[in-house]
Amino acid sequence: MLDSKPSLTYPTTRQGDHVDDYHGEKVADPYRWLEDPNSEETKAWIQAQNEITFAYLQQIPAREKLKQRLTKLWDFAKYSTPYKQGNRYFYYKNDGLQNQSVLYVLDDLEDQPEVLLDPNTLSEDGTVALSGVSISEDGNLMAYGISTSGSDWQEWKVRDVNTKQDLDDHLKWVKFSGASWTHDHKGFFYSRYNEPNENTKLEDSNYYQKLFYHRLGTPQSEDLLIYERSDQKEWGFGGSVTEDGKYLIISVWQGTDPKNLVFYKDLTLSDAPVIELISEFEAEYNFLDYQETKFWFQTDLNAPKGKVISLDIESGERTEIIPEIEETLQGINVLNHQFVAFYLKDAHTQIKILNLDGSFVREVELPGIGSAGGFRGKRQDTETFYAYTSFTTPTTIYRYDMVTGESRLYRQPEVDFNPENYETQQIFYQSKDGTQIPMFITHKKGLSLEGNNPTILYGYGGFSASLTPNFSISRIAWLEMGGVYAIPNLRGGGEYGEEWHQAGTKHNKQNVFDDFIAAAEWLIENQYTCSQKLAISGGSNGGLLVGACMTQRPDLFGAALPAVGVMDMLRFHKFTIGWAWCSDYGSPDNAEDFQAIYAYSPLHNLKPETAYPATLITTADHDDRVVPAHSFKFAAALQAAHLGDNPVLIRIETKAGHGAGKPTAKIIEELADGFAFLVRVFEMNSMF
């Protein structure tokens, strides 16, 4: 921990007298005023907090060295998997330190690639990002979405792939939507909200999404409304055209619950109605493709680990094609008239090729225990690409022959580190209720288990998201410093299917925190680290995880790094898309849910005169996913409650959002600051 030094003097944060009544329980909210990011008082508070935080960070000698090392590690060419549309290939590449990756196009894989769109030219500081791309069937037109300063709001434009010039089309107020072209190349389907209040668009709730068709060359005001539900303000719509162009498949979502509805519209018939095929939120249905009258779906209906069925749109008959197995089905693609099935086995990827009748063909041999993605293409394609990564393997691209099963190396990055110096193991530990939880632990080979290694324990545990092996430049920097990096697969995630997810939601949410705390205790008991050298880290729902665990067990951790966290669990549903999270958290408006939520809400479980771990909270002023007020209020309350010399700081990024599209320069600066904070707190200066 820190040497005995004078305590930091934090800005004085005014405490108001606001009190809310939740089902008969009075709850004070003294920092309610911090919810207004545009008030002069809030702006002054942000400036005062940042001044203290950056003054603290700037006096850490290791900070600049960390930034230099991260920059050097980051400086290598990064490629995405190529995919084909029409007679062209498309892929992304980042030369190394570019703030945004560049989209390239080429007619043949051996040709010299051409820049189709370079987002770095859209702003001087790299804060405008490419957030969505849809290529027309013939490969000649591209609809693309851009986001500014990390906001979820998108503007969509159209570019001619041949001339590399934009057309006049310009769509606004798009959010949580892609674009899907009709096969006549005359337009595309997309979803949008009504125009918001310009002054409060980063805070106001988002309801009543509508599905439109935009015809090229016409103003947005003339877009054709395809579907809306004025009686269902929470419903959202994703429109996707089938591979042959015949049907529009409409997936209807409500919040973050994976359960969805499926409607469809026959695009070959003029004025065809929208047909409600699956009209109850009974399970998740992911449309794959179809044959004659039979639609293929990946679903978890009566199969929490996933299966594939066919549904006859005329008779309603359902037939199982790929049954549920022990591994968790993550996704399905259709190539070479076969299914490519992505499975998770104890949180790492397995890929199986199956015939359209479900019979097994082969398993794709991967380079090791890691994660794989890709296998995009059309039903008739015999060649595709996939990416493989692990904790010590940078994302590597392979060409795959669907006929022979042969993988050939296509792109292998060169990173300034030796993977042979590190090792990853997967262990299983017991949570509070006896559940076995897997955890990946990565560190230098030959690590001394004497209970004194600086360790980062990272987690998420929610919304059915799976934490699988992946390569992280920042993690390599931490490992080089002698650090240990541990990632448990907590309940609430999707690693073991929908039952595992549900075991960490709503009234079961405490299981997630118990799993994380048990992971920390296992690392300490097995001599990897000690409380004084253990940091917990997580973002968004993972920020909630960190906030809940540091308030429940402040004695267990030496440092806490909650990023863009959901900290005020009584008001999360009042802002932007926060209402959608009630499917995972429950609703504070429900009396029973309120009691469960209130019991762990980080903001409401801080105790006065308590010594909390050294804490660096991070958020951003343009975060319209988890509004920064969560972090503002938590920081103010934590500083007021905290006892002792451990620093409690908040770092507020400007012109940035929840994380997506953040420029490389800002990412490196934020990581360097987080590591410098740990170097100071854990007294790791001997490593520099």
Side-chain angles (χ1 to χ4, degrees):
M1 304 299 287
L2 277 172
D3 304 327
S4 56
K5 297 182 177 70
S7 299
L8 287 165
T9 302
Y10 302 110
T12 300
T13 306
R14 177 175 65 85
Q15 295 193 21
D17 56 5
H18 189 98
V19 176
D20 289 306
D21 187 317
Y22 292 93
H23 314 287
E25 180 145 2
K26 300 290 194 296
V27 180
D29 193 0
Y31 304 114
R32 175 70 63 87
W33 59 272
L34 281 169
E35 290 182 1
D36 181 0
N38 298 312
S39 76
E40 292 305 315
E41 188 176 19
T42 301
K43 290 177 181 177
W45 183 88
I46 291 171
Q47 182 178 347
Q49 291 285 351
N50 268 346
E51 285 176 358
I52 287 178
T53 297
F54 286 107
Y56 178 91
L57 295 170
Q58 285 164 5
Q59 51 81 42
I60 301 174
R63 184 189 189 213
E64 186 58 33
K65 294 178 182 177
L66 280 163
K67 184 177 177 181
Q68 291 172 3
R69 180 57 183 148
L70 283 166
T71 301
K72 186 175 182 182
L73 278 169
W74 220 280
D75 194 8
F76 69 95
K78 306 164 191 70
Y79 292 86
S80 73
T81 52
Y83 65 95
K84 193 175 185 180
Q85 193 74 326
N87 293 317
R88 292 183 162 108
Y89 292 91
F90 300 85
Y91 70 91
Y92 296 91
K93 180 191 176 187
N94 190 307
D95 289 339
L97 296 174
Q98 289 173 290
N99 278 319
Q100 304 289 342
S101 294
V102 178
L103 178 60
Y104 289 87
V105 60
L106 64 169
D107 293 333
D108 187 275
L109 290 174
E110 306 305 321
D111 289 349
Q112 187 69 23
E114 298 178 0
V115 173
L116 178 54
L117 196 153
D118 182 357
N120 299 291
T121 64
L122 302 178
S123 64
E124 291 185 3
D125 57 3
T127 55
V128 175
L130 186 59
S131 53
V133 165
S134 178
I135 310 293
S136 63
E137 182 68 15
D138 60 3
N140 290 328
L141 293 166
M142 175 180 72
Y144 68 96
I146 56 173
S147 299
T148 301
S149 298
S151 172
D152 280 335
W153 286 113
Q154 297 174 315
E155 296 182 34
W156 279 76
K157 299 183 179 183
V158 178
R159 177 160 293 198
D160 186 310
V161 177
N162 294 298
T163 66
K164 316 296 189 295
Q165 298 298 309
D166 282 348
L167 307 183
D168 293 334
D169 303 78
H170 187 186
L171 310 181
K172 300 182 72 175
W173 313 126
V174 183
K175 186 185 273 198
F176 313 127
S177 174
S180 187
W181 289 86
T182 47
H183 278 215
D184 59 8
H185 322 124
K186 292 181 179 178
F188 53 85
F189 298 95
Y190 74 101
S191 301
R192 60 161 287 190
Y193 292 94
N194 291 332
E195 182 175 348
N197 182 314
E198 182 64 27
N199 294 324
T200 57
K201 66 182 181 182
L202 297 183
E203 296 87 49
D204 289 346
S205 294
N206 304 129
Y207 292 117
Y208 298 110
Q209 195 185 48
K210 301 178 179 68
L211 178 63
F212 286 91
Y213 177 73
H214 173 72
R215 183 173 290 275
L216 290 186
T218 64
Q220 187 175 18
S221 59
E222 296 180 10
D223 286 354
L224 179 65
L225 177 64
I226 302 299
Y227 199 80
E228 68 171 333
R229 285 295 291 267
S230 58
D231 61 328
Q232 298 289 348
K233 70 177 184 178
E234 295 182 350
W235 284 16
F237 309 100
S240 179
V241 178
T242 55
E243 187 177 303
D244 63 358
K246 182 176 181 179
Y247 294 108
L248 172 68
I249 307 297
I250 304 172
S251 179
V252 184
W253 52 270
Q254 184 175 29
T256 51
D257 193 322
K259 296 183 177 68
N260 64 302
L261 313 180
V262 179
F263 305 159
Y264 72 92
K265 177 182 173 71
D266 190 333
L267 297 178
T268 65
L269 303 175
S270 60
D271 299 322
V274 171
I275 305 296
E276 297 188 6
L277 181 63
I278 297 168
S279 56
E280 294 183 15
F281 288 99
E282 60 184 8
E284 179 178 13
Y285 289 90
N286 177 29
F287 176 83
L288 305 174
D289 205 338
Y290 79 99
Q291 199 162 36
E292 297 176 344
T293 61
K294 295 180 178 180
F295 282 13
W296 300 329
F297 291 98
Q298 175 189 337
T299 182
D300 57 7
L301 180 68
N302 301 320
K305 291 189 176 181
K307 64 182 179 182
V308 174
I309 64 168
S310 73
L311 196 166
D312 193 307
I313 61 174
E314 291 185 354
S315 68
E317 180 184 3
R318 298 185 179 210
T319 305
E320 185 175 86
I321 302 175
I322 302 176
E324 180 185 32
I325 61 174
E326 184 178 347
E327 290 78 29
T328 303
L329 182 60
Q330 291 288 100
I332 292 272
N333 292 337
V334 183
L335 293 163
N336 190 39
H337 303 283
Q338 294 174 318
F339 290 122
V340 180
F342 294 78
Y343 285 96
L344 277 188
K345 178 177 176 58
D346 292 331
H348 65 268
T349 302
Q350 288 184 333
I351 298 176
K352 303 177 191 294
I353 310 295
L354 305 107
N355 290 316
L356 295 182
D357 63 2
S359 58
F360 179 79
V361 178
R362 75 175 76 90
E363 187 168 320
V364 177
E365 188 174 337
L366 298 176
I369 295 178
S371 303
F375 289 91
R376 295 176 62 177
K378 307 287 188 182
R379 193 199 291 199
Q380 72 275 9
D381 288 350
T382 58
E383 182 184 68
T384 186
F385 297 83
Y386 69 90
Y388 171 82
T389 184
S390 74
F391 289 114
T392 55
T393 305
T395 300
T396 304
I397 312 296
Y398 293 87
R399 291 174 79 167
Y400 186 74
D401 189 318
M402 287 292 299
V403 177
T404 66
E406 179 188 7
S407 291
R408 285 181 292 160
L409 184 65
Y410 180 65
R411 300 281 191 194
Q412 185 171 30
E414 296 181 6
V415 186
D416 184 32
F417 90 112
N418 183 0
E420 298 302 318
N421 294 339
Y422 307 95
E423 62 182 341
T424 298
Q425 58 179 314
Q426 185 181 42
I427 63 95
F428 290 80
Y429 66 92
Q430 188 168 293
S431 190
K432 184 177 181 179
D433 63 358
T435 301
Q436 290 293 111
I437 311 294
M439 177 162 59
F440 294 106
I441 307 173
T442 306
H443 52 75
K444 279 183 178 178
K445 289 181 178 177
L447 182 79
S448 174
L449 296 181
E450 297 177 354
N452 201 39
N453 299 299
T455 298
I456 294 176
L457 178 64
Y458 176 86
Y460 188 78
F463 300 96
S464 197
S466 299
L467 297 187
T468 62
N470 73 309
F471 183 78
S472 163
I473 298 167
S474 61
R475 190 182 304 125
I476 295 302
W478 179 251
L479 298 176
E480 286 183 343
M481 294 156 58
V484 175
Y485 207 99
I487 302 179
N489 297 110
L490 313 172
R491 281 174 286 185
E495 291 89 350
Y496 292 101
E498 186 57 15
E499 289 180 351
W500 190 258
H501 168 220
Q502 292 297 331
T505 65
K506 295 184 176 178
H507 295 204
N508 296 323
K509 188 66 177 176
Q510 183 59 40
N511 285 337
V512 185
F513 313 136
D514 290 343
D515 292 353
F516 202 54
I517 288 168
E521 292 173 334
W522 188 94
L523 289 167
I524 293 168
E525 290 167 5
N526 287 273
Q527 297 292 295
Y528 280 88
T529 190
C530 57
S531 290
Q532 294 81 1
K533 293 287 183 73
L534 177 58
I536 50 174
S537 172
S540 194
N541 175 73
L544 160 64
L545 170 71
V546 172
C549 290
M550 65 179 282
T551 53
Q552 292 183 16
R553 288 293 306 276
D555 59 305
L556 188 57
F557 315 108
L561 302 173
V564 293
V566 189
M567 300 303 198
D568 184 349
M569 293 303 298
L570 301 186
R571 289 179 58 76
F572 71 86
H573 60 317
K574 300 289 187 182
F575 303 97
T576 62
I577 200 64
W579 60 265
W581 311 333
C582 291
S583 59
D584 243 55
Y585 297 146
S587 172
D589 297 337
N590 175 288
E592 291 185 3
D593 289 352
F594 163 75
Q595 291 298 335
I597 292 168
Y598 191 42
Y600 69 77
S601 176
L603 177 66
H604 302 98
N605 282 279
L606 290 164
K607 299 174 180 61
E609 302 294 302
T610 299
Y612 286 100
T615 304
L616 178 62
I617 302 163
T618 52
T619 188
D621 62 352
H622 278 68
D623 190 344
D624 53 0
R625 184 77 60 83
V626 179
V627 293
H630 283 279
S631 294
F632 294 172
K633 293 166 72 173
F634 184 69
L638 180 59
Q639 288 175 349
H642 179 51
L643 182 69
D645 292 336
N646 289 339
V648 173
L649 304 169
I650 180 169
R651 184 189 189 280
I652 305 159
E653 184 63 84
T654 58
K655 293 187 72 176
H658 197 60
K662 185 178 289 187
T664 297
K666 285 184 180 291
I667 294 172
I668 290 174
E669 288 174 2
E670 187 174 316
L671 287 168
D673 285 349
F675 285 149
F677 182 79
L678 295 183
V679 166
R680 172 72 182 273
V681 169
F682 291 165
E683 298 176 351
M684 298 166 62
N685 293 304
S686 60
M687 298 172 183
F688 289 87

